[in-house]
Amino acid sequence: MRMRSPVTLHGRLCRLELMRPDHIDGLLLAATADRSTYDYTYVPKDHDAVVRYVALATSDFAAGVALPFTTIAIDPVTGEERIVGTSRLRELEYWRAGVWPPRHGHINPDGRPDAAEIGSTWLHPSAQRTGINTEAKLMMLTYAFEAWDVHRVSLKTDVRNTRSRAAISALGAQFEGIRRAHFPAADGGVRDSALFSIVRAEWPAAKANLEARLQRYLDRAAMAAMEPGMEPVRVDPHLVQPLHLEQPTLEPAAGAPETAPVVQAPAIPAA
């Protein structure tokens, strides 16, 4: 399986599609409609910034250093789809490429990385605390550990971002420590980063934990939908741009199959 083949991850609450230019308008609205929770995370702030963001993501994908996704929320009641943010598997390490430390342009013979990081994750506030992030992380980790067979998935966040640190810990990731003066902070200055990771031996327990958390959310959403006078949990349709259903033809990368592989989310029992 070549890493540079387009990949789509399908879930019940969201779908992760390879980021591409026709996502720009939806990403712009998701990034600018309400920036109240973006203090410690880089989120493009205007049209030009989103264009550069997507162009860089596309370039990183072509170079084999990242698999960038656009996060598309799926309303569990109506099935309506909306772009709500992004995430990606990035900083891909190729241990079998014949050079060490890993260098840009050198990938493994089979195209699969040996380690990865999940990052560049942001969601419109209306999509936060809705189960979307849990399902997205479950799908990405499953792909990394079970399709790529990586040894490790890393995660990091600004040390001041207590909410993000708690969310990463809840995934089952182990805290490794703090890297001081790591790189420029999203709000200016230089940030310290809290580092976390999940290694291959820990993945089965982490996967079971994520599946249980997702199922609890789905159960609560189903109960809320059945309660008289209660609105089901859903993404606010007034704040996030609807996804256009017409999909352009993707040009496969060199050596990649013409048809994008579709990866189904891990099976979750029906609520």
Side-chain angles (χ1 to χ4, degrees), residues 48-60:
D48 288 346
V50 174
V51 170
R52 291 193 298 270
Y53 191 81
V54 173
L56 181 59
T58 301
S59 174
D60 286 347

Side-chain angles (χ1 to χ4, degrees), residues 20 27 77 102-103 150 168 182 197 234:
R20 57 181 191 261
L27 289 171
V77 177
R103 295 192 185 120
V150 298
I168 293 173
H182 191 195
S197 67
R234 64 183 65 185

Side-chain angles (χ1 to χ4, degrees), residues 33-162:
D34 179 355
R35 298 181 62 85
S36 60
T37 62
Y38 299 156
D39 290 345
Y40 302 120
T41 302
Y42 174 72
V43 180
K45 62 182 181 180
D46 55 34
H47 182 269
D48 288 346
V50 174
V51 170
R52 291 193 298 270
Y53 191 81
V54 173
L56 181 59
T58 301
S59 174
D60 286 347
F61 172 71
V65 297
L67 183 56
F69 293 111
T70 295
T71 305
I72 300 166
I74 304 170
D75 190 296
V77 177
T78 67
E80 187 177 15
E81 299 183 351
R82 301 178 185 281
I83 289 176
V84 293
T86 76
S87 193
R88 69 188 69 180
L89 287 158
R90 65 184 191 186
E91 296 193 18
L92 305 183
E93 297 178 15
Y94 299 93
W95 300 356
R96 296 167 284 120
V99 294
W100 193 263
R103 295 192 185 120
H104 187 83
H106 294 267
I107 67 173
N108 293 334
D110 61 3
R112 298 188 304 172
D114 297 289
E117 176 182 289
I118 291 179
S120 301
T121 301
W122 55 270
L123 288 172
H124 185 277
S126 68
Q128 296 171 16
R129 300 182 182 274
T130 63
I132 289 173
N133 185 57
T134 297
E135 185 173 60
K137 292 296 193 297
L138 174 58
M139 292 192 292
M140 295 171 71
L141 286 163
T142 298
Y143 190 79
F145 281 112
E146 299 180 14
W148 284 344
D149 197 29
V150 298
H151 295 275
R152 164 181 45 81
V153 174
S154 302
L155 304 100
K156 62 177 178 279
T157 188
D158 191 308
V159 73
R160 299 168 296 170
N161 194 342
T162 55

Side-chain angles (χ1 to χ4, degrees), residues 138 141 145 170-173 198-199 202-212:
L138 174 58
L141 286 163
F145 281 112
L171 297 175
I198 300 172
V199 298
E202 297 164 345
W203 169 235
K207 181 179 182 180
N209 169 58
L210 284 168
E211 288 176 336

